[in-house]
């Protein structure tokens, strides 16, 4: 059970920049091959081809050897970035040694478009400011190599400069968005755990304190003083729960869940064996113990299968609804539990013949810290992706309808029945 709850509250941290590193790796390989092919195609035009061969050999080896360095932000160190940029700049500057005509013709440099790779690495690693510095070095090297740059050279320099800065800025925005999203998910997970703990407190501690208060007042004497103190603690604890200041206690919550299932000893594999929490539960076996002279249980003829955790949460919500019947409708009130098994959802209806709930009473109770319906019922159903509807007419009883969606893996089994 603990593993299931941990999976539900785990905040998934995804890296928005990792795909960029993969793309940069592919870009470096492809542009290295492109630079080699350009030389092979125009090798006869070079006055000193051995210069180009030597540089391209170094470029190819460097590109292949340093592939792990551009796998992620951690491995892409500042030392590597400086060396990578140096190789690009040197390749641009020695183009004139290999081909003297390159200074007078707007042809490609020795590294060609591979030179944009180090600039992109700077952009992904450090953002737009680093990209601005790296692209400026490449731009200066291009202008120096050309001597009298033409329109194409100026166009290429400006394109690399603007594109790298834009990519760097996008990376910074993506990182900020990722941090904001991660923080929001952490807050949501913390809030959900607090709500679950608040439900447990409401279903156990608060009810015990209320019972001690009532019994102490009825007995009188020293017991009355004990009841008064229990009442004060109940009010304080309700205030604490309703204000959202309850700390997280995951271990105790998981233990409580497992203890509940084992104590019921029902046909549910939760907490048992290697496939604990995997095999579906028959909801009927969990709801059947609620049947007594005042509670009637109507069930389908076939098993109502749900995931163990979902079945337990739904059972706890039904228990909370029946507790409200006993508290507010009186000990003589009758209740009915109806289970409807549909292919895509399970509907459990709890109805009583009590006096009903006055209009606005639920909102008032929630404001007073009495969170039976808000947390023990609606909160549980919201955690399961379902919903709870409370329909009450004064003098005509109350009906609580609990709807829980069935996972796709179980829909086929329900349809077969």
């Amino acid at each position: 059970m603990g593993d299931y709850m941990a999976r539900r509250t785990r905040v998934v941290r995804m890296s928005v920049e990792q795909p960029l590193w993969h793309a940069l790796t592919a870009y470096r390989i492809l542009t290295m091959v492109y630079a080699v092919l350009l030389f092979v195609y125009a090798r006869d035009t070079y006055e000193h081809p051995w210069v180009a061969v030597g540089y391209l050999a170094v470029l190819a080896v460097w590109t292949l050897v340093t592939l792990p360095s551009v796998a992620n932000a951690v491995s892409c160190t500042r030392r590597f970035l400086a060396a990578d940029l140096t190789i690009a700049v040197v390749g641009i500057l020695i183009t004139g040694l290999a081909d003297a005509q390159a200074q007078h013709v707007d042809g490609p440099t020795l590294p060609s478009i591979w030179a944009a790779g180090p600039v992109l690495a700077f952009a992904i690693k450090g953002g737009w400011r680093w990209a601005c510095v790296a692209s400026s070095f490449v731009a200066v090297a291009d202008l120096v190599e050309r001597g009298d740059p033409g329109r194409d050279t100026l166009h290429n320099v400006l394109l690399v400069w603007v594109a790298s800065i834009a990519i760097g800025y996008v990376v910074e925005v993506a990182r900020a968005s990722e941090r904001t999203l991660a923080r929001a998910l952490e807050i949501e997970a913390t809030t959900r755990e607090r709500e679950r703990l608040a439900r447990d407190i409401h279903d156990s501690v608060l009810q015990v304190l209320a019972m001690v208060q009532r019994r102490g007042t009825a007995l009188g004497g020293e017991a009355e003083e004990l009841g008064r103190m229990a009442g004060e603690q109940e009010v304080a604890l309700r205030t604490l729960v309703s204000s959202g200041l309850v700390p997280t206690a995951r271990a105790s919550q998981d233990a409580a869940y497992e203890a509940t299932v084992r104590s019921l000893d029902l046909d549910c594999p939760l907490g048992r064996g290697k496939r604990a929490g995997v095999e579906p539960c028959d909801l009927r076996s969990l709801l059947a113990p609620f049947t007594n002279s005042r509670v009637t249980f109507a069930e389908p003829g076939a098993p109502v299968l749900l995931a163990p955790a979902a079945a337990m949460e739904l059972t706890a919500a039904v228990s909370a609804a029946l507790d409200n019947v006993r508290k507010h409708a009186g000990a003589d009130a009758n209740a009915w539990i109806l289970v409807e098994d549909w292919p895509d959802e399970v509907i459990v209806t709890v109805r009583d013949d009590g006096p009903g709930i006055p209009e606005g009473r639920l909102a008032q109770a929630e404001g007073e810290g009495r969170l039976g319906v808000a947390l023990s019922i609606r909160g549980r159903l919201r955690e399961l992706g379902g919903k709870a509807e409370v329909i009450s007419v004064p003098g005509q009883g109350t009906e609580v309808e609990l709807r829980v969606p069935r996972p796709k893996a179980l829909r086929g089994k329900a349809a077969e029945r």
Side-chain angles (χ1 to χ4, degrees), residues 203-215:
D203 294 344
S204 55
V205 180
L206 292 178
Q207 294 182 10
V208 171
L209 291 176
M211 183 184 68
V212 171
Q213 181 186 19
R214 291 194 300 270
R215 294 290 295 169

Side-chain angles (χ1 to χ4, degrees), residues 308-389:
M312 284 299 301
E313 290 284 8
L314 184 54
T315 302
V318 172
S319 176
L322 293 175
D323 286 340
N324 287 336
V325 173
R326 288 190 291 269
K327 290 179 182 178
H328 305 297
D332 296 331
N334 296 307
W336 294 265
I337 304 174
L338 172 63
V339 177
E340 300 176 69
D341 188 14
W342 297 95
D344 58 343
E345 67 177 350
V346 174
I347 304 176
V348 180
T349 304
V350 180
R351 184 170 60 85
D352 64 68
D353 59 358
I357 304 175
E359 185 177 356
R361 176 55 187 156
L362 291 179
Q364 180 184 356
E366 186 174 348
E368 294 173 353
R370 301 181 181 276
L371 305 176
V373 175
L375 289 181
S376 294
I377 298 179
R378 285 177 176 160
R380 280 190 162 96
L381 271 294
R382 184 171 59 250
E383 287 286 330
L384 299 175
K387 63 179 180 179
E389 296 183 5

Side-chain angles (χ1 to χ4, degrees), residues 15-26 28 66-78 80-81 120-126 130 171 175:
S15 175
V16 297
E17 64 183 74
Q18 194 58 43
L20 296 177
W21 289 110
H22 295 328
L24 178 61
T25 300
R28 288 169 64 88
T66 59
L67 287 181
S69 298
V70 291
N72 51 64
V74 176
S75 58
C76 186
T77 63
R78 295 187 179 186
F80 162 76
L81 289 175
L120 295 177
F122 269 83
I124 300 174
K125 173 72 175 181
W130 286 30
V171 169
R175 284 174 180 160

Side-chain angles (χ1 to χ4, degrees), residues 190 193-194 196-198 200-201 246-257:
T190 302
E193 294 200 0
R194 285 175 174 173
R196 283 192 287 269
L197 180 58
D200 289 344
I201 292 175
V246 179
T248 302
R250 170 59 50 210
S252 62
Q253 186 182 40
D254 292 341
Y257 264 103

Side-chain angles (χ1 to χ4, degrees), residues 225-245:
E225 176 64 16
L226 179 61
R228 184 189 64 80
M229 295 174 61
E232 293 177 353
Q233 293 301 314
E234 180 193 5
V235 173
L237 188 54
R238 286 188 186 278
T239 303
L240 188 63
V241 170
S242 61
S243 63
L245 298 180

Side-chain angles (χ1 to χ4, degrees), residues 27-67:
Y27 177 87
R28 288 169 64 88
I29 295 175
L30 292 176
T31 53
M32 179 268 293
V33 173
Y34 178 73
V36 173
L37 292 178
L38 279 180
F39 167 73
V40 172
Y41 179 76
R43 62 184 181 277
D44 294 335
T45 63
Y46 283 80
E47 297 179 357
H48 303 95
W50 58 270
V51 176
V53 171
Y55 173 78
L56 291 174
V58 172
L59 180 67
V61 172
W62 172 261
T63 300
L64 296 177
V65 170
T66 59
L67 287 181

